[in-house]
Amino acid sequence: MAEYEAELTMIPPEEIATGGVTSEMARRWQVLQHLQDRNETLFYKVLMENFVEMAPIIYTPTVGWVCSNYHKLYRRPRGMFFSAKDKGEMAALVYNWPQSDVHAVVVTDGSRILGLGDLGLNGLGIPVGKLDLYCAAAGFHPTKVLPCVVDVGTDNVALRSDPLYCGLTRPRLTGPAYYEILDEFVHAIMTRWPDAVLQFEDFQMKHALTLLERYRNHHLVFNDDIQGTAATALAGLYGALRVQGKGLEAIGKQRVVCVGAGSAGMGVVRMVAAGMEKQG
């Protein structure tokens, strides 16, 4: 813990002002990652015993800085990497994962990481951090979760030109070619682990809802941005009505303004509208 508490400048002051992540937070993330590399059992014990303090370190907001710099911070692989170059091979690739019993898979294509935009392969930091939370706070066993990234290129020119970037250095796939890759990935994952929940994380809005609707009637799929954030927002509105002494039916008389039209914002709008409709 001495290393965890030490002082070390890792982020320039101008980046702290715009991103909100301090050098202290970045350093503590790095210390925790080194601990997880050495002793995963101890890592989760420390995380569970200090969860309130460390949750913002292993996930938001620190994970945003981590994803922006993932190609510079990378030391050893976590999770599984799939790319457009693996087309036709994904059904075999999933068997490279050593665990035969996986309960939760979190996947991103890196197209909309938090409010940072297209980070390509670097977006893997989101599934890794999210599943660390699930293990520490929701009781998932670390051997039964799988973080994934599907690399279909990136439109981030700065990343494509960075020699340290590990992903495909080509523009992002779109249209039918994109959905062919995602179809193959989902089929491969759900064939090997048919009872697992597959969570889509930080996909662009133009793909997020389409993917959810594409697979929801066939597989156990979930989009945290569209469904998780929205459910929490609707619960907050119901709670506010209760504080005012009003019943749930009063939600239909409220005017709700949502700032932002990304997958989370539109998910909230859809969920609130569904709540209004349900309550008459």
Side-chain angles (χ1 to χ4, degrees):
M1 294 299 288
E3 186 179 0
Y4 181 84
E5 299 292 346
E7 294 186 7
L8 178 66
T9 301
M10 297 182 65
I11 303 179
E14 60 273 16
E15 292 187 19
I16 295 175
T18 57
V21 178
T22 65
S23 289
E24 178 183 49
M25 297 165 75
R27 173 181 49 74
R28 291 184 174 186
W29 175 87
Q30 200 164 55
V31 170
L32 290 173
Q33 293 305 298
H34 292 165
L35 175 60
Q36 190 173 20
D37 290 343
R38 297 192 305 269
N39 189 329
E40 192 171 56
T41 301
L42 181 58
F43 166 78
Y44 284 112
K45 177 178 174 58
V46 171
L47 179 58
M48 291 171 68
E49 291 182 352
N50 302 274
F51 187 77
V52 173
E53 175 188 343
M54 293 182 175
I57 304 299
I58 65 167
Y59 202 58
T60 53
T62 310
V63 74
W65 173 83
V66 171
C67 289
S68 296
N69 295 276
Y70 195 78
H71 57 299
K72 303 173 186 177
L73 299 168
Y74 180 86
R75 293 295 180 271
R76 60 182 296 177
R78 296 188 189 280
M80 292 198 75
F81 299 76
F82 297 85
S83 83
K85 289 186 176 181
D86 297 321
K87 185 177 180 181
E89 304 292 338
M90 294 185 189
L93 287 176
V94 292
Y95 285 90
N96 289 332
W97 192 251
Q99 303 300 331
S100 59
D101 185 21
V102 170
H103 294 174
V105 180
V106 178
V107 62
T108 187
D109 68 349
S111 59
R112 189 206 61 83
I113 300 301
L114 303 175
L116 304 171
D118 185 351
L119 295 182
L121 184 75
N122 284 9
L124 181 60
I126 290 290
V128 170
K130 181 64 67 82
L131 286 171
D132 281 341
L133 290 184
Y134 288 1
C135 292
F140 281 88
H141 195 280
T143 64
K144 299 185 185 300
V145 298
L146 173 58
C148 295
V149 61
V150 178
D151 183 7
V152 293
T154 178
D155 293 331
N156 188 322
V157 177
L159 276 180
R160 291 207 308 255
S161 60
D162 193 317
L164 293 179
Y165 179 62
C166 301
L168 298 179
T169 53
R170 50 149 295 161
R172 182 172 289 277
L173 286 179
T174 59
Y178 173 85
Y179 288 105
E180 286 177 10
I181 297 298
L182 267 294
D183 283 346
E184 182 176 345
F185 167 79
V186 172
H187 178 73
I189 289 291
M190 302 312 296
T191 296
R192 186 174 184 199
W193 300 292
D195 297 325
V197 58
L198 175 59
Q199 176 177 326
F200 297 106
E201 191 73 25
D202 283 0
F203 284 73
Q204 285 179 315
M205 182 58 192
K206 65 180 181 180
H207 295 313
L209 188 58
T210 301
L211 291 172
L212 185 61
E213 297 297 333
R214 193 179 185 94
Y215 307 120
R216 69 188 309 170
N217 294 324
H218 310 286
H219 304 296
L220 184 59
V221 295
F222 171 69
N223 187 299
D224 189 39
D225 302 299
I226 294 176
Q227 296 169 293
T229 302
T232 303
L234 180 59
L237 290 176
Y238 282 150
L241 292 173
R242 184 176 292 111
V243 169
Q244 297 176 29
K246 299 177 181 179
L248 300 183
E249 66 281 356
I251 193 170
K253 300 177 181 178
Q254 309 304 308
R255 292 186 178 183
V256 179
V257 177
C258 185
V259 180
S263 55
M266 295 308 297
V268 169
V269 169
R270 288 166 59 89
M271 186 70 75
V272 171
M276 291 177 171
E277 184 178 355
K278 182 178 180 179
Q279 300 300 332

